[in-house]
Amino acid sequence: MRDLLSLPKAHLHVHLESTVRWATLREISAANRVEVPAHAGTFGDFASFFARNDLVRACLRRPADFRRIAYEFCADESAQGVRYAEVSFTAAGHGERLGDLGMPLQAVLEGLEAGQDAFGIECRLILDHSRRRSVERAWRTLDLARRHERVIAVGLAGDEAHPGDPFTEVFAAARDAGLHVVHHAGEGEGPASIRQALGPGRAERLGHGIRILDDPDLVAEVRERGIPLEVCPSSNVALGFAPSLDAHPLPVLREEGLLVTLNTDIPALINTSLTTEYANVRDTFGYDDRTLAELAGDTVTASFAPPETKTRLHSEIATWLNSA
């Protein structure tokens, strides 16, 4: 078996606020006078996850905080063999919270640029918007996205019990502006969530999408359209959307001919990494190196990376597979 750290990878579904090193969070929280536990601990359900996520967000207040977590994201991803990443960030939520709409995004972009130069990784941003929040904030998210070339996409995140229909005009405008659209769908809710995301929601990829198997007609449609799924096995298990890794639908999704990508979603909160995810699917599903290389290649194919980046990464993956 080849070394999985050296497998060149793309990473498409990962939330910046959920990548923060706990030691970093402790230092930032002390500077900003926010009380944080000494250890990350665990959470047992979706509600406790949201509480933990809110704690992380509350610690982030100064431009230096946002620059640091973006820079350290680049360092940590590069160390995992990630060559290209599309990282999600809730820019408007932070900006409204801090009374400066543009500051958090600008600081994150500065941190990513410095991190790219230092660690040889290529990063783009996806600005997400919680379904629980207002349409007005979604428009502000789109306005922020339009201002920066490195922001390539926008989309909905959060509890899928909140419908996506109120936001359809926002995402139609995003597509008209040349931005990509990616929604979380088909994780907590079923096929109706996916149909809304792909129809009125204008999505080009599905964040999660694991509930697609509940509807064979939808499987056929998504397969025919080549819509990629951003699958995050350890996150699905930790949040209760899959009973275990053994029972995770990832292999069935691939067997159905769907374009499956492998991701972490919330790595710092569940103590995983992208290399760990590849090791997990190798060990759990018996995937050999060729299958893992296919999975890595499919993730590159599904990305919004420039064509030259995709060509280079496919070549690097082939070199890895052909190595002794």
Side-chain angles (χ1 to χ4, degrees), residues 139-152:
W139 282 112
R140 285 189 280 274
T141 296
L142 176 57
D143 182 58
L144 287 170
R146 286 168 168 157
R147 300 180 194 177
H148 299 280
E149 183 178 353
R150 196 171 293 279
V151 177
I152 56 168

Side-chain angles (χ1 to χ4, degrees), residues 12-13 182-183 185-187 194 198 204-213 218-219 221-223 225-233 236 248-250 252-254 256-263 295 298-303:
L12 308 183
H13 189 123
V182 180
H183 298 315
E187 181 192 30
I194 295 173
L198 296 179
E204 299 161 80
R205 282 196 322 241
L206 293 170
H208 301 291
I210 57 174
R211 294 280 303 277
I212 193 172
L213 295 172
L218 184 58
V219 170
E221 177 185 340
V222 169
R223 180 174 57 236
R225 293 176 60 183
I227 301 292
L229 276 59
E230 303 166 354
V231 178
C232 311
N236 297 151
H248 194 279
L250 184 147
V252 181
L253 295 168
R254 296 189 79 247
E256 289 286 344
L258 297 168
L259 183 56
V260 172
T261 73
L262 187 60
N263 308 275
L295 195 53
D298 287 345
T299 306
V300 171
T301 297
S303 76

Side-chain angles (χ1 to χ4, degrees), residues 160 165 185-186 189-198 200 211 215 218:
E160 293 171 41
D165 287 334
E189 298 291 321
S193 169
I194 295 173
R195 291 189 181 282
Q196 194 286 329
L198 296 179
R211 294 280 303 277
D215 185 337
L218 184 58

Side-chain angles (χ1 to χ4, degrees), residues 91-102 104 134 136-138 140-141:
H94 289 291
E96 289 184 1
R97 173 173 62 86
L98 298 170
D100 186 341
L101 190 63
S134 69
E136 290 73 23
R137 179 186 286 182
R140 285 189 280 274
T141 296

